[in-house]
Amino acid sequence: MFDAVPIHVWLIESGLQNRPVLALFEELCRRLAATPLRIERAHLSVALLHPSLRGFSHTWTRKTDAVETQFFTRGMDDTQGWKVSPFKHVLENRLPNLRRRLTGNQAQLDFPVLTEFRDQGLTDWLCCLHSFNPETGLPWSQMTGMITSWATGAPAGFTDEDILLLEELMGTTALVVKADTQQQIARNLLATYVGGNSVERVLAGEITRGGVQRIEAAILFADLRGFTAFSDTTPIEETLTLLNAAFDAMGAPVTREGGHILKFLGDGLMAIFPSEDNAGGACLRALAAAEAGQEAMALLNETRAAEGLPVLGLDLALHHGEVLYGNVGTTDRLDFTVVGPAVNEASRIETLCKRLERPVLLSESFATALGDHPGLCELGTHELAGLARPRRIFGIGG
């Protein structure tokens, strides 16, 4: 037995300093490897609340003195390796710990991986589970939490005192990992629901209603043409499937070109491309996103048509101007978005797409910022609902 208090103290200090889980785990493994425990292999898995990732894992071995990291997507429970994993057994049965001796008369090799560990010269294995939301009663597949495992090569394996010490240390480790993980979950959820660029500003403390700043930006409005009639005659599940596929077609190019999706508006979306003293560059990126979105939507429609399914058009409007970017809403329910006359004008331009039979329309300010762009053509002056004077409208492609 050794004095583990310094490790507990170090863990707590690391948590208060917001030390990343990877760095924390790597250092913890090295500290424990230097003790009489003779740790040869260690593993840490963290389950997250994320729309596409289920979690990540870090695995350390004394032989390499390095950590291998792996990320898990949702659906991992369908793999054969997971179905025969001791971790699955621990989660399904909500076991706080599971110990398996790997050699000697008390050896219990009831999972294939344990035989692999024994063949690698390991003698004892301990797994610890710490749920970050134990009170919710969620199925294990929706839990957030931490699983660790520790294996030794000591001839006699772990002593009972070693097991107690490791379990205590994992309790402290879980608190530190939970603190870091909860921050990551908050960041992931904010990125999912308010957009990536807004996350840093919100987390930095911009959470007061009316806390806005003036910025110049290219504004993109997208809308599915014919969606209302389609949804009126289509089962809601099929409608949702098409809507999500269309959002992928529209949204992926926006993100790829450095834009920020601020709102999903029924069957459309609004995004901005901040100018940052380069209006031409912002507008070029917005136009590239619009054209890529049209191409992606065309491919989606081609696939649906081949399956005998209805197809929809995509209307896009592009404008450039000054907006107020920040918190708008009630005292206790805010939306981090953009407002201002430029936003209204972009929205009104999008309604012209059907009448002018053009999938992409540009405002005069957007066209001016683009400069001498190939394919740019003027489509005349048009009245826009709610605006005092007509606007010059432009298209792409003659």
Side-chain angles (χ1 to χ4, degrees):
M1 179 65 80
F2 64 94
D3 183 7
V5 171
I7 298 181
H8 283 286
V9 172
W10 168 78
L11 283 167
I12 293 169
E13 290 176 347
S14 296
L16 293 173
Q17 294 167 6
N18 296 320
R19 195 170 192 188
V21 172
L22 173 57
L24 177 91
F25 179 66
E26 192 168 20
E27 177 63 21
L28 176 61
C29 291
R30 289 170 178 160
R31 286 175 180 249
L32 290 179
T35 71
L37 292 174
R38 288 190 55 179
I39 298 297
E40 297 288 340
R41 185 185 190 278
H43 179 92
L44 178 148
S45 289
V46 178
L48 300 172
L49 186 60
H50 189 280
S52 57
L53 285 178
R54 182 65 186 104
F56 64 87
S57 71
H58 299 314
T59 302
W60 174 92
T61 60
R62 182 196 291 265
K63 182 178 180 180
T64 62
D65 191 26
V67 173
E68 179 182 339
T69 298
Q70 185 175 3
F71 292 92
F72 304 102
T73 58
R74 294 195 174 275
M76 58 170 281
D77 50 321
D78 290 332
T79 64
Q80 184 58 32
W82 176 251
K83 291 176 181 178
V84 295
S85 167
F87 291 162
K88 180 175 183 287
H89 175 74
V90 167
L91 283 167
E92 285 185 335
N93 294 280
R94 299 291 204 278
L95 302 177
N97 53 65
L98 180 71
R99 180 188 183 184
R100 289 292 186 262
R101 296 185 185 276
L102 306 179
T103 58
N105 295 332
Q106 294 181 294
Q108 187 176 353
L109 306 176
D110 48 346
F111 300 97
V113 71
L114 300 182
T115 301
E116 294 178 20
F117 291 160
R118 180 205 60 189
D119 293 345
Q120 293 168 13
L122 303 177
T123 59
D124 211 340
W125 180 85
L126 173 70
C127 169
C128 299
L129 168 66
H130 291 86
S131 173
F132 296 163
N133 50 358
E135 73 289 343
T136 60
L138 290 172
W140 67 265
S141 59
Q142 298 177 28
M143 290 171 57
T144 59
M146 178 189 86
I147 287 182
T148 53
S149 68
W150 303 88
T152 182
F158 292 126
T159 67
D160 291 340
E161 291 79 7
D162 292 338
I163 296 295
L164 288 174
L165 185 147
L166 278 171
E167 289 174 350
E168 290 174 357
L169 280 172
M170 289 310 98
T172 305
T173 302
L175 286 173
V176 178
V177 171
K178 180 179 180 180
D180 182 76
T181 301
Q182 294 300 96
Q183 287 189 11
Q184 291 301 317
I185 287 175
R187 190 179 297 275
N188 291 338
L189 291 178
L190 280 171
T192 299
Y193 286 97
V194 306
N197 184 59
S198 304
V199 170
E200 300 305 324
R201 296 181 59 183
V202 172
L203 291 177
E206 294 187 36
I207 57 173
T208 304
R209 182 171 65 165
V212 297
Q213 66 177 129
R214 292 178 180 270
I215 66 169
E216 296 280 337
I219 307 162
L220 179 150
F221 264 86
D223 190 69
L224 290 175
R225 186 185 299 184
F227 181 80
T228 301
F230 167 79
S231 61
D232 188 49
T233 58
T234 305
I236 191 169
E237 293 81 8
E238 184 180 336
T239 299
L240 183 61
T241 297
L242 173 58
L243 192 59
N244 283 331
F247 281 149
D248 280 341
M250 292 185 285
V254 169
T255 302
R256 189 167 58 246
E257 293 295 335
H260 311 302
I261 299 173
L262 298 181
K263 283 180 178 294
F264 290 100
L265 306 161
D267 59 323
L269 62 82
M270 176 180 70
I272 62 168
F273 297 76
S275 296
E276 298 176 355
D277 299 323
N278 185 0
C283 291
L284 280 172
R285 290 186 288 112
L287 180 59
E291 293 176 332
Q294 289 290 352
E295 291 175 4
M297 194 68 195
L299 288 174
L300 173 62
N301 282 334
E302 183 179 334
T303 300
R304 289 180 60 84
E307 297 173 355
L309 298 173
V311 300
L312 298 175
L314 174 61
D315 292 335
L316 287 152
L318 300 167
H319 181 43
H320 184 271
E322 183 182 74
V323 295
L324 293 178
Y325 185 27
N327 290 297
V328 179
T330 68
T331 55
D332 57 0
R333 176 63 174 87
L334 298 173
D335 192 8
F336 207 92
T337 187
V338 291
V339 295
V343 178
N344 298 333
E345 184 168 341
S347 175
R348 298 296 188 270
I349 292 172
E350 185 276 319
T351 63
L352 285 177
C353 289
K354 181 178 181 180
R355 176 153 59 89
L356 298 181
E357 297 184 347
R358 288 272 183 166
V360 180
L361 294 179
L362 288 58
S363 71
E364 182 177 4
S365 63
F366 191 96
T368 300
L370 280 180
D372 187 19
H373 189 279
L376 191 66
C377 60
E378 185 169 356
L379 302 176
T381 301
H382 299 269
E383 298 280 351
L384 297 176
L387 301 187
R389 59 178 179 80
R391 300 293 201 267
R392 292 173 69 195
I393 302 298
F394 294 77
I396 291 289

